[in-house]
Structure formats: C-alpha cells, structure tokens
C-alpha cells in the first residue's frame, strides 16, 4: 500500500526558507497526482500546490505564487515543496496527499485525494 511521510518542517525566521519532502513508499508514484495542503489552528485547510507525477505539470496557489515551488524527483519517489520568503501567516501543519489520476485535468482539491501523510509543522516566527 502507498504511504506518505512528510519531513523538513521546523522553526524559521520571516524571510527564511524551508524545503519540505513527501517521501512515498510501497508504490511507485506512476500516474499519481500529489498535492500539498496546510492548516493552521482555527483556520480552514488550504490547498498549497499540486503536481502530476507523470506529466510534471504543476500548480501553486495564488497566495504562494512566486514564493513556493512544487517539484518531484521520480528516482527518489519523492515530491518536494520549496518554500522561500516565508511569512508569519505561512505557519501551519503541512500535509501531502496522493491520488491516482483518472483524467487529464490537474486539480488541487482535498476531497479528490485518498492517501495522506501525517503532516509536518512549519513555524515562522521572529
């Protein structure tokens, strides 16, 4: 069975950078879509970015455009989220999720995803 494990979270100062990893095991991520979501206490879950593993097509949410980049290393069966110019409001638990692609559309909607990692805490504080 497919399992996802996030890592790379931590405490950083405003303006700093972190690189989150989503390591998949059990199944090779062929024909999967992977997405990053985040949720802060008392706030709604937000879709951050998504990627088609096979096609390499990506999408980042408007609120992280120009700062965050999603990518994949197929040889390592891992998806990354490079986060630059971090802001206080980026503080949240970040989770990755996976779903098999059944069409050509790239989406980043939580209800479409079946497999979830445990999450990793990102704290931006001065």
């Amino acid at each position: 069975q497919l399992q996802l494990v996030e890592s790379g979270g931590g405490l950083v100062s405003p303006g700093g950078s972190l690189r989150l990893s989503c390591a998949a095991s059990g199944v090779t991520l062929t024909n999967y879509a992977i997405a990053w979501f985040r949720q802060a206490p008392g706030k709604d879950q937000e879709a951050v970015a998504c990627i088609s593993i096979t096609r390499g097509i990506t999408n980042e949410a408007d609120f992280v455009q120009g700062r965050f980049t999603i990518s994949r290393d197929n040889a390592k069966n891992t998806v990354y989220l490079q986060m630059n110019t971090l802001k206080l409001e980026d503080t949240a638990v970040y989770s990755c999720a996976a779903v098999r692609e059944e069409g050509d559309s790239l989406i980043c909607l939580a209800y479409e995803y079946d497999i979830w990692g445990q999450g990793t805490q990102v704290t931006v504080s001065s």
Side-chain angles (χ1 to χ4, degrees), residues 55-70:
R55 294 176 289 166
I57 300 172
T58 64
N59 179 264
E60 291 86 23
D62 290 343
F63 56 83
V64 300
Q65 275 286 334
R67 299 190 299 121
F68 292 8
T69 303
I70 190 170

Side-chain angles (χ1 to χ4, degrees), residues 35-112:
W36 286 96
F37 301 89
R38 72 184 189 186
Q39 188 165 27
K43 298 181 180 179
D44 293 335
Q45 186 180 58
E46 299 176 308
V48 178
C50 60
I51 185 170
S52 168
I53 298 298
T54 299
R55 294 176 289 166
I57 300 172
T58 64
N59 179 264
E60 291 86 23
D62 290 343
F63 56 83
V64 300
Q65 275 286 334
R67 299 190 299 121
F68 292 8
T69 303
I70 190 170
S71 63
R72 92 284 204 210
D73 185 336
N74 290 350
K76 296 182 178 179
N77 212 33
T78 298
V79 172
Y80 302 100
L81 184 68
Q82 179 66 47
M83 306 187 296
N84 298 326
T85 319
L86 283 160
K87 304 175 179 180
L88 295 178
E89 55 264 39
D90 294 320
T91 296
V93 174
Y94 285 71
S95 301
C96 64
V99 65
R100 270 198 166 271
E101 292 188 306
E102 297 182 358
D104 294 328
S105 298
L106 178 64
I107 58 174
C108 299
L109 301 176
Y111 67 80
E112 297 283 357

Side-chain angles (χ1 to χ4, degrees), residues 3-48:
Q3 292 182 302
L4 304 175
V5 178
E6 302 95 334
S7 62
L11 175 65
V12 296
S13 298
S17 298
L18 284 174
R19 189 190 196 192
L20 305 184
S21 297
C22 176
S25 62
V27 179
T28 299
L29 293 175
T30 303
N31 296 321
Y32 277 86
I34 303 292
W36 286 96
F37 301 89
R38 72 184 189 186
Q39 188 165 27
K43 298 181 180 179
D44 293 335
Q45 186 180 58
E46 299 176 308
V48 178

